[in-house]
Amino acid sequence: MCEDASSQKKVFAPPRTTLYTIPMYAKSTVLHQRWMSALMMSVVVMIALTLYAPSISHGFINTDDDVLIETNRTAHGLSISNLITAWTTFDPELYVPVTTMSFQLQSHLFGSISPSMTHAIAIILHAIIAASVSWISWSISRRLSVGFLAGFLFAIHPINAEAVLWASSRKDLLATLFCSLSIVLWLRDQKAIDSERIGRGILFSFALSVLAKPSTALLPLAFIGIDVLKKENESMKQNLSEHTAPRKRVLERVMSACWQYRGMLLISAFVLIVGIIGKRLALQSASMWDIVLIAPQSLGLSVLHIFAPWKLTLFYPYEAFQLPLFVIGMTTAVLGTVLLQKGDRTTQCAVALSLALFIPSLGSPVRNNELYITADHYMYGAMIGISLLLANGVLSLRKDIRCLLLIGCVPFFTVQTNQLVKQWSNTTDVYQTVLEEYPHHFATLNNLGVWQLEHGDAPDAIMYLRRALSEKPDEQKTKVNLAAAHVLGDDIVEAMSILDSVPPDQRDASYGFVIAQINQKKGNIRDAINWYMKVLNQDPTLTKAWNNLGVLYLSLNEWQEAEKNFRQEIGRAHV
């Protein structure tokens, strides 16, 4: 007899737990991608190291390297006083305490700041950044081919050579290194569980970046723009009939994103305010009209150097308004705006990063009271986004066109960069390249003349310094250097004639040093000693004056005085 179904006792067993595991094929795919990404970055690192390895034997040049590194007391030695100076002063117009600290640490670890170690560090930093560009591009595009090509282009592109080969451009390398770290962490934050810890990492790395150089201060605007555009694209997909988002909703999303990145925005505001204070004198010497006219030309010339990187020089002085560059710059700005709105996610990220990391350089066309269009090292950080944009664009083309472009561009870029590496091995070649394009550029003529003077070539020093004075006849320091060149060439009469033309109120320590040299040449030992002592009272950092003073005391058999002055020279000679 069967029991009634309703009277049967029901037993409620605990629910069966289902374990969801990652399929083996998925695990192997993830592992394969990780190995491939590691291989990709390793290859990029090896290419960057190999291409720039010859620059380890290069020396310093006398444009900024002498002032910012060789004779900069703050950069030599890791001490409390040097740290305080690094964090409370400009160098000379930029607030770059992290960069100064890197030189202090180098001096502390290796005993001095040698050119070879400085260049070796630059090469290593460039290789690491190129690898990070590969990872960033792969993470954004989800394509290993795009990641490899972007890192490869970043490693070999000639426009990056100046930042790697010029010792004074370490600030560009460090700022870009920490900036790329911020981007890496930001990309991981998109899918991370512990986003709060990664958020602190983003904030810390961004702070290091802008304190290495303020050129990355607009990076949070790129993050905000990319986040807002991503949400707008998602809204468009959910409601296909809605072609434009309401302004109110866009504004709300912008405000929400600003609040999310409020820490980075506060750091940016602080750095930009400090940067304006440091550049106030330079900004006063350029009118707003100059900045407005030069900015599009700067963008235009930079775009030309990206696609046609030949005739790259250390300086690009602003001599006259160039309509073609202005048109190229304005067209690029319009095209960038269109791509930012209409492009796919990879294109939007690339354009946003490029603009955010390049725009800050447009506001500083003045240097040493001269107007410049741009400088190649200004593009170093922006090349993160540009490399991604180029790689994604090239790999989106037909296979035959893509192969033709790569076969033509890769060898050309590599050869051009190799030529720049060779060119920077000789300071004279660096300046001669500028003079081939800008034969009347005062700073190049003056610096080349001083370089020849320091290396004992009196005839060439006289020639270049006279050419410099023909461009700026009232430049008193150039007159003093010219007089020193004539002293080196034993033309004392001409040297005194030039020194007499220097106004009394502009006769500084360098003027007195040349007068002391003239007396030393004439054999007026006591007069020479008196002049050297006057010079050292004005500027005790002139090690040559201490040395010459010691030599003079030796000639008088005053051994104790000679030893005292030689010890002063040794104590103040940092390199």
Side-chain angles (χ1 to χ4, degrees):
M1 183 175 174
C2 294
E3 295 182 10
D4 186 9
S6 62
S7 64
Q8 292 181 357
K9 186 177 180 181
K10 296 182 179 180
V11 179
F12 295 94
R16 182 178 296 175
T17 302
T18 303
L19 296 176
Y20 294 96
T21 58
I22 299 175
M24 289 301 297
Y25 71 86
K27 286 183 177 179
S28 63
T29 302
V30 172
L31 187 61
H32 175 72
Q33 286 188 340
R34 289 179 178 175
W35 276 107
M36 289 301 294
S37 64
L39 178 62
M40 168 187 71
M41 290 187 288
S42 299
V43 172
V44 168
V45 166
M46 291 305 299
I47 290 170
L49 293 176
T50 304
L51 187 60
Y52 285 99
S55 67
I56 293 178
S57 61
H58 294 183
F60 292 132
I61 67 172
N62 65 340
T63 296
D64 290 354
D65 288 356
D66 52 348
V67 177
L68 301 182
I69 302 174
E70 293 184 278
T71 60
N72 184 6
R73 294 179 62 86
T74 306
H76 293 263
L78 196 60
S79 63
I80 298 298
S81 60
N82 281 350
L83 286 173
I84 293 174
T85 304
W87 285 88
T88 56
T89 57
F90 295 96
D91 190 24
E93 60 183 24
L94 293 176
Y95 186 63
V96 290
V98 169
T99 300
T100 305
M101 285 178 61
S102 75
F103 285 114
Q104 292 173 352
L105 185 61
Q106 179 184 340
S107 175
H108 179 75
L109 293 176
F110 302 104
S112 65
I113 304 179
S114 66
S116 58
M117 183 56 65
T118 303
H119 290 304
I121 292 171
I123 297 169
I124 293 171
L125 291 176
H126 178 62
I128 295 172
I129 297 166
S132 70
V133 170
S134 286
W135 192 94
I136 291 167
S137 301
W138 167 55
S139 182
I140 291 174
S141 66
R142 301 298 180 187
R143 297 168 64 188
L144 280 169
S145 57
V146 172
F148 174 74
L149 183 56
F152 179 70
L153 288 174
F154 187 92
I156 69 168
H157 202 290
I159 203 170
N160 288 336
E162 183 175 288
V164 184
L165 299 171
W166 192 7
S168 296
S169 286
R170 179 181 289 186
K171 49 184 169 286
D172 295 282
L173 297 172
L174 289 175
T176 306
L177 174 69
F178 293 120
C179 174
S180 63
L181 177 59
S182 298
I183 299 170
V184 168
L185 293 174
W186 173 72
L187 290 169
R188 291 183 64 85
D189 187 47
Q190 307 295 307
K191 51 185 178 182
I193 297 175
D194 189 8
S195 60
E196 183 178 348
R197 184 173 63 180
I198 293 180
R200 290 196 293 267
I202 295 172
L203 195 64
F204 181 67
S205 57
F206 175 67
L208 290 176
S209 178
V210 294
L211 292 173
K213 188 180 180 182
S215 58
T216 60
L218 298 187
L219 180 63
L221 297 186
F223 291 167
I224 291 170
I226 293 170
D227 285 353
V228 171
L229 287 170
K230 179 182 177 181
K231 292 177 181 178
E232 287 303 310
N233 291 336
E234 291 173 353
S235 298
M236 294 288 288
K237 290 179 180 179
Q238 293 173 1
N239 187 1
L240 296 177
S241 62
E242 183 181 9
H243 296 291
T244 56
R247 291 183 179 180
K248 182 178 179 181
R249 188 177 66 193
V250 174
L251 182 60
E252 288 176 353
R253 285 176 176 167
V254 171
M255 295 304 295
S256 175
C258 289
W259 179 253
Q260 179 183 352
Y261 297 103
R262 60 190 180 278
M264 295 181 72
L265 290 172
L266 287 174
I267 293 174
S268 295
F270 167 77
V271 169
L272 289 173
I273 291 171
V274 173
I276 291 173
I277 294 173
K279 279 188 164 289
R280 64 188 184 278
L281 295 178
L283 292 173
Q284 289 173 3
S285 59
S287 67
M288 184 58 65
W289 183 245
D290 289 330
I291 296 175
V292 170
L293 283 180
I294 293 175
Q297 296 176 72
S298 174
L299 180 57
L301 185 59
S302 298
V303 169
L304 279 181
H305 288 170
I306 291 169
F307 292 100
W310 64 74
K311 294 184 179 179
L312 302 184
T313 69
L314 179 62
F315 299 121
Y316 302 100
Y318 181 71
E319 297 180 337
F321 177 77
Q322 300 183 49
L323 183 60
L325 292 182
F326 185 86
V327 172
I328 294 172
M330 294 301 294
T331 303
T332 303
V334 173
L335 181 61
T337 304
V338 173
L339 291 175
L340 198 58
Q341 294 178 344
K342 305 296 183 181
D344 57 20
R345 181 175 181 272
T346 300
T347 303
Q348 289 177 338
C349 289
V351 173
L353 291 173
S354 302
L355 291 176
L357 297 176
F358 179 69
I359 288 175
S361 67
L362 298 177
S364 56
V366 182
R367 180 175 174 177
N368 295 330
N369 297 319
E370 288 189 297
L371 288 174
Y372 291 87
I373 301 177
T374 188
D376 290 332
H377 65 272
Y378 289 169
M379 290 297 295
Y380 191 77
M383 282 298 292
I384 294 175
I386 294 169
S387 299
L388 170 57
L389 188 64
L390 293 175
N392 187 57
V394 168
L395 294 176
S396 300
L397 299 172
R398 275 174 28 197
K399 188 175 181 179
D400 54 344
I401 300 176
R402 179 197 319 163
C403 291
L404 285 174
L405 278 175
L406 293 177
I407 291 172
C409 292
V410 170
F412 175 69
F413 288 173
T414 306
V415 169
Q416 288 295 111
T417 301
N418 187 54
Q419 287 180 352
L420 288 170
V421 172
K422 292 179 180 178
Q423 176 185 301
W424 278 78
S425 66
N426 189 330
T427 302
T428 303
D429 290 344
V430 174
Y431 291 133
Q432 289 291 357
T433 306
V434 180
L435 294 177
E436 288 175 5
E437 298 298 317
Y438 308 98
H440 302 289
H441 185 228
F442 168 79
T444 303
L445 293 167
N446 180 75
N447 290 1
L448 185 52
V450 172
W451 177 265
Q452 300 292 358
L453 173 62
E454 291 173 347
H455 288 76
D457 191 342
D460 280 350
I462 292 170
M463 178 185 68
Y464 287 115
L465 290 170
R466 285 201 177 278
R467 287 177 61 185
L469 278 174
S470 68
E471 301 298 327
K472 289 189 176 182
D474 295 329
E475 193 66 34
Q476 306 305 325
K477 289 185 178 180
T478 306
K479 288 183 180 180
V480 173
N481 288 330
L482 180 58
H486 281 289
V487 172
L488 181 64
D490 293 327
D491 191 349
I492 305 299
V493 175
E494 182 64 23
M496 286 303 302
S497 174
I498 295 170
L499 290 174
D500 288 341
S501 67
V502 177
D505 59 335
Q506 297 187 36
R507 295 178 179 179
D508 57 6
S510 59
Y511 172 91
F513 184 84
V514 178
I515 293 292
Q517 284 184 311
I518 291 173
N519 280 283
Q520 189 173 357
K521 284 263 187 181
K522 289 181 175 181
N524 301 330
I525 305 300
R526 289 298 176 184
D527 289 340
I529 289 174
N530 291 333
W531 272 105
Y532 281 129
M533 293 180 69
K534 290 178 183 179
V535 167
L536 291 171
N537 285 332
Q538 289 181 279
D539 186 0
T541 65
L542 284 176
T543 55
K544 289 182 179 179
W546 290 109
N547 176 79
N548 291 0
L549 199 53
V551 170
L552 290 173
Y553 279 119
L554 270 182
S555 67
L556 297 175
N557 296 328
E558 297 183 18
W559 314 112
Q560 292 183 348
E561 287 295 327
E563 181 183 359
K564 183 174 70 174
N565 285 282
F566 286 137
R567 289 189 179 278
Q568 284 283 353
E569 180 200 6
I570 294 171
R572 296 174 185 274
H574 307 295
V575 181

